[in-house]
């Protein structure tokens, strides 16, 4: 237990990220099932309006910040150092700090479900209830007097620190720790997309931090950053939030695109079609993602010039995305296809992401968007992108890299059952939402009239949601079975082209017995110019230094939720205690000899 609590090994931290994020993913899924039960029929009475508001707020916040981002981070941690021929990340203790801050931030947010009695309220009464986007001026103290929004804004600031710490760490790792000969244009696409994602994280999260600090000053110190009556504008929050929020969508989807770009070549037995174009289109998506945020705001009256500009940029960003899709299809074309579960999820990703992308293009037109905004059409769009896209891509990565991470192969028959149940379930759940929205059902309402004519479609959608739940039970059964009865994995069970397949499964603590020298973009495959590389020897020729464990990252991380409790409970001394714990942790960290 101590070795896990103090670990600075990127592989163990990757597994900690995976299991923690997967638990939060299940929690967000349970919240979604309760939402769907409430909406299964008109005038539902499963939960009250107040609880419903908390459910959809926590569902969105949990899935975006506590499930999808950290599930991607589990692959960043585990796979990227292996793909670039490194022994660990650049800053191993900062990596551990990032994980503990994420865990404590997630627990802080979810504690809001249970601590109502401490705030003289009932259970299930003080969870965040202003939507995952927290629109002003609903979040002002006048309209949300309880601690609900306080939990949300403080929890997100804690999670932002975790993301920023990881972002800087991986940028330095990828740029500085590559094996000899591993030029940037020889990097695997997953590592490239990770690099682009980290630059988006370190530039987007400061924007939401500014917005949250303004909101904190409004709520705790009587400022008026978003109060119209004081000469400010609530639209400032929308601009700050979506200036972060749209790059955030690409933070969520680019890692999945990178995973798919690794899985398809391996199971088509041919190199990725147009590698250079795929890399540049990923970089272009990262840049262009900063120029489209106001398409979330076509309904606020920005005027014809702004609407026209953001309509054009939103249509333009479909171009690099479309380029990737054509390259993925061309990679499969004429390949020696092996229909593994990982390939099923990768191809499912392409199909579902196309549907999500097409409904997104319909939001690029302001007149169409005015009809669709705040209806279930938008809910359908975001779920096709983030469930059909990100989740499908992440599951492709899980089935692909699980043997490398654990030394055992997941069951292929169970994997196929998982895929088809999830694929059918998500389409049954989310496709009807396009029609529910176009027929006029607003999002974020806890009940609806039978006269609206969407009762049957809502019931179908709820059935689909429970089908997704069944598919996840199959996946959990697969994980459980694989622990004891899974087939033992060799170094390279799939015949992959990249460096992680040249070392044992799971890798030793030092990763590579000898750091390889790279001469090709596909080092383990024979190409016209290069023979496949020799795998590193099984045992290192000499002793290898690896970082030891440390308690200090965890100690420092504990200071942050303690500081957040101070404004939440209006207890000043807690702020000093939290700051003291943080400072002691940082000093202990700074003066600790970092040897084995």
């Amino acid at each position: 237990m101590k070795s896990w609590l103090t670990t600075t090994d990127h592989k163990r931290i990757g597994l900690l990220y995976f299991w923690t994020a997967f638990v939060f993913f299940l929690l967000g899924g349970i919240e979604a099932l309760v939402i769907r039960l409430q909406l299964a029929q008109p005038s539902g009475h499963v939960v009250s309006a107040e609880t419903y508001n908390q459910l959809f707020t926590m569902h969105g916040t949990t899935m975006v910040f506590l499930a999808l981002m950290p599930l991607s981070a589990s692959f960043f941690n585990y796979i990227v150092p292996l793909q670039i021929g490194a022994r660990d990340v650049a800053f191993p203790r900062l990596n551990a700090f990032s994980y503990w801050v994420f865990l404590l931030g997630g627990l802080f947010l979810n504690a809001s479900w249970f601590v109502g009695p401490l705030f003289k309220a009932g259970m299930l009464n003080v969870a965040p209830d202003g939507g995952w986007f927290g629109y002003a001026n609903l979040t002002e103290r006048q309209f949300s007097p309880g601690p609900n929004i306080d939990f949300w804004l403080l929890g997100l600031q804690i999670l932002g620190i975790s993301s920023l710490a990881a972002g800087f760490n991986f940028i330095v790792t990828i740029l500085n720790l590559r094996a000899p000969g591993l030029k940037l244009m020889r990097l695997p696409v997953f590592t490239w997309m990770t690099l682009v994602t980290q630059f988006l994280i370190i530039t987007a999260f400061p924007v939401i931090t500014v917005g949250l600090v303004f909101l904190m000053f409004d709520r705790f110190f009587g400022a008026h950053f978003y109060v119209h009556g004081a000469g400010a504008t609530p639209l400032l929050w929308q601009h700050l939030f979506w200036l972060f929020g749209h790059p955030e969508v690409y933070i969520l989807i680019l890692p999945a695109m990178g995973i798919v770009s690794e899985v398809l070549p391996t199971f088509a037995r041919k190199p990725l079609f147009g590698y250079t174009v795929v890399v540049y289109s990923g970089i272009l998506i990262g840049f262009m993602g900063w120029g489209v945020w106001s398409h979330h705001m076509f309904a606020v009256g920005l005027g014809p010039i702004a609407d026209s500009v953001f309509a054009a940029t939103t249509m333009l960003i479909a171009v690099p995305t479309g380029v990737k899709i054509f390259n993925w299809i061309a990679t499969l074309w004429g390949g020696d296809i092996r229909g593994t579960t990982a390939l099923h999820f990768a191809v499912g990703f392409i199909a579902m992401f196309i549907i999500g992308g097409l409904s997104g293009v319909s939001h690029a037109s302001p007149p169409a968007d005015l009809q669709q905004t705040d209806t279930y059409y938008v809910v359908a769009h975001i779920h096709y992108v983030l469930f059909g896209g990100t989740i499908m891509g992440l599951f492709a990565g899980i089935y692909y890299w699980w043997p490398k991470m654990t030394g055992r192969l997941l069951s292929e028959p169970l994997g196929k059952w998982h895929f088809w149940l999830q694929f059918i379930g998500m389409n049954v759940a989310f496709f009807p939402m396009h029609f529910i929205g176009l027929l006029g059902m607003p999002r974020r309402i806890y009940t609806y009239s039978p006269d609206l004519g969407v009762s049957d479609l809502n019931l179908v959608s709820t059935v689909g949601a429970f089908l997704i739940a069944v598919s996840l039970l199959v996946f959990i059964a697969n994980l459980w079975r694989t622990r004891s009865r899974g087939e033992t994995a060799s170094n390279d069970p799939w015949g992959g082209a990249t460096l992680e397949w040249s070392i044992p499964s799971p890798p030793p603590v030092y990763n590579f017995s000898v750091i390889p020298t790279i001469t090709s973009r596909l080092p383990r495959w024979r190409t016209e110019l290069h023979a496949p590389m020799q795998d590193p020897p099984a045992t290192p020729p000499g002793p290898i230094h690896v970082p030891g464990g440390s308690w200090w990252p965890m100690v420092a991380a504990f200071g942050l939720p303690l500081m957040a409790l101070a404004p939440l409970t209006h207890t000043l001394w807690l702020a000093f205690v939290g700051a003291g714990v943080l400072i002691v942790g940082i000093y202990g960290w700074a003066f600790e000899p970092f040897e084995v």
Side-chain angles (χ1 to χ4, degrees):
M1 174 64 87
K2 179 192 170 189
S3 65
W4 280 92
L5 293 175
T6 62
T7 186
T8 56
D9 179 2
H10 72 96
K11 298 179 289 297
R12 282 193 158 191
I13 292 171
L15 290 171
L16 287 170
Y17 261 111
F18 174 81
W19 288 112
T20 309
F22 187 66
V23 169
F24 281 129
F25 176 62
L26 295 178
L27 192 61
I30 291 166
E31 289 158 0
L33 292 179
V34 178
I35 290 170
R36 286 313 320 165
L37 277 174
Q38 168 69 12
L39 296 176
Q41 54 189 10
S43 309
H45 297 291
V46 177
V47 293
S48 66
E50 291 76 18
T51 304
Y52 186 85
N53 289 347
Q54 294 170 57
L55 280 167
F56 76 70
T57 302
M58 285 300 286
H59 168 69
T61 305
T62 299
M63 287 306 197
V64 170
F65 295 104
L66 302 180
L68 301 192
M69 278 185 74
L71 279 172
S72 298
S74 72
F75 289 124
F76 301 160
N77 271 285
Y78 205 109
I79 301 300
V80 166
L82 304 184
Q83 286 199 330
I84 64 173
R87 299 223 187 275
D88 208 309
V89 294
F91 308 115
R93 287 178 295 187
L94 187 65
N95 204 17
F97 174 76
S98 172
Y99 168 74
W100 292 113
V101 173
F102 152 63
L103 173 63
L104 294 169
L107 293 175
F108 178 88
L109 260 175
N110 280 282
S112 60
W113 286 114
F114 309 108
V115 297
L118 298 179
F119 294 91
K120 299 182 175 60
M123 285 279 224
L124 309 182
N125 268 57
V126 298
D129 58 356
W132 84 278
F133 40 80
Y135 271 6
N137 48 7
L138 284 177
T139 50
E140 293 293 327
R141 188 69 74 185
Q142 176 187 352
F143 303 107
S144 297
N148 310 58
I149 301 299
D150 300 334
F151 269 107
W152 182 78
L153 72 90
L154 294 165
L156 287 196
Q157 288 186 75
I158 294 171
L159 294 169
I161 291 168
S162 166
S163 297
L164 287 168
F168 289 113
N169 202 348
F170 283 109
I171 288 171
V172 176
T173 300
I174 294 168
L175 293 182
N176 284 10
L177 298 190
R178 285 169 286 136
L182 189 56
K183 302 171 184 175
L184 283 176
M185 291 316 286
R186 286 177 179 168
L187 280 178
V189 177
F190 176 68
T191 301
W192 253 117
M193 294 305 105
T194 300
L195 183 62
V196 175
T197 300
Q198 305 315 316
F199 274 107
L200 284 174
I201 285 172
I202 66 168
T203 46
F205 269 84
V207 180
I208 186 75
T209 303
V210 168
L212 290 167
V213 168
F214 284 174
L215 181 58
M216 189 166 72
F217 271 74
D218 275 16
R219 288 185 64 83
F220 293 121
F221 306 117
H224 302 297
F225 284 104
Y226 304 121
V227 180
H228 182 72
T233 171
L235 287 188
L236 173 61
W237 168 267
Q238 291 195 31
H239 279 294
L240 287 172
F241 184 82
W242 290 118
L243 189 56
F244 150 81
H246 210 82
E248 170 68 15
V249 172
Y250 297 111
I251 289 167
L252 295 171
I253 199 69
L254 282 170
M257 290 177 164
I259 291 169
V260 168
S261 301
E262 300 293 321
V263 171
L264 294 178
T266 299
F267 297 116
R269 295 302 297 166
K270 53 183 283 209
L272 181 70
F273 184 89
Y275 164 86
T276 311
V277 179
V278 172
V279 168
Y280 279 122
S281 65
I283 297 168
L284 199 57
I285 286 170
F287 273 111
M288 294 175 73
W290 286 100
V292 298
W293 79 91
S294 284
H295 66 217
H296 295 271
M297 301 170 59
F298 281 149
V300 306
L302 296 172
I305 303 296
D307 280 2
S308 302
V309 169
F310 283 101
T313 56
T314 305
M315 292 177 191
L316 276 174
I317 203 167
V319 175
T321 314
V323 165
K324 281 183 179 290
I325 288 166
F326 283 118
N327 283 29
W328 290 327
I329 294 170
T331 301
L332 291 170
W333 186 265
D336 180 14
I337 306 290
R338 285 177 294 160
T340 59
T341 305
L343 186 75
H344 276 66
F345 274 103
V347 175
F349 164 93
I350 297 171
M352 296 302 94
F353 189 70
I354 288 172
I355 295 175
L358 288 174
S359 63
V361 171
S362 73
H363 296 308
S365 167
D369 184 76
L370 277 173
Q371 301 301 312
Q372 297 153 6
T373 194
D374 272 343
T375 71
Y376 263 80
Y377 189 92
V378 182
V379 181
H381 161 69
I382 196 71
H383 284 86
Y384 266 91
V385 171
L386 295 186
F387 195 100
T390 304
I391 294 290
M392 287 287 206
L394 288 169
F395 273 120
I398 290 168
Y399 280 94
Y400 182 57
W401 280 312
W402 198 255
K404 181 55 60 182
M405 294 163 77
T406 65
R408 290 184 182 271
L409 288 145
L410 288 161
S411 160
E412 284 291 313
L414 279 176
K416 302 279 177 39
W417 272 100
H418 169 207
F419 168 76
W420 285 111
L421 285 169
Q422 184 170 307
F423 184 79
I424 294 166
M426 78 145 287
N427 281 289
V428 172
F430 302 127
F431 201 79
M433 290 183 184
H434 293 99
F435 304 113
I436 292 169
L438 292 175
L439 287 169
M441 180 167 167
R443 60 196 294 197
R444 301 189 283 273
I445 56 166
Y446 83 108
T447 187
Y448 55 94
S449 163
D451 302 334
L452 197 56
V454 295
S455 309
D456 293 342
L457 288 170
N458 267 309
L459 183 59
V460 169
S461 189
T462 299
V463 170
F466 277 87
L467 205 52
I468 294 170
V470 172
S471 78
L472 287 170
L473 291 176
V474 173
F475 174 66
I476 293 167
N478 199 349
L479 292 183
W480 185 259
R481 177 195 168 280
T482 301
R483 285 181 67 220
S484 55
R485 288 188 285 155
E487 182 187 338
T488 304
S490 62
N491 288 14
D492 184 9
W494 309 125
T498 44
L499 282 180
E500 72 267 30
W501 303 112
S502 66
I503 55 177
S505 305
V509 66
Y510 48 78
N511 294 347
F512 295 87
S513 57
V514 176
I515 299 296
T517 299
I518 309 303
T519 58
S520 158
R521 187 173 66 75
L522 303 167
R524 303 198 70 256
W525 281 4
R526 180 178 300 280
T527 66
E528 292 174 5
L529 300 176
H530 301 280
M533 65 174 272
Q534 292 291 315
D535 288 350
T539 53
I544 295 174
H545 167 75
V546 290
S550 174
W551 287 103
W552 295 116
M554 187 201 287
V555 172
F558 265 103
L560 294 171
L562 282 174
M563 289 169 72
L565 283 173
L568 197 62
T569 57
H570 304 283
T571 314
L572 185 60
W573 61 265
L574 262 177
F576 292 107
V577 171
V581 171
L582 180 63
I583 290 166
V584 166
I586 290 172
Y587 262 79
W589 177 343
F591 289 106
E592 178 181 49
F594 203 37
E595 302 297 328
V596 177

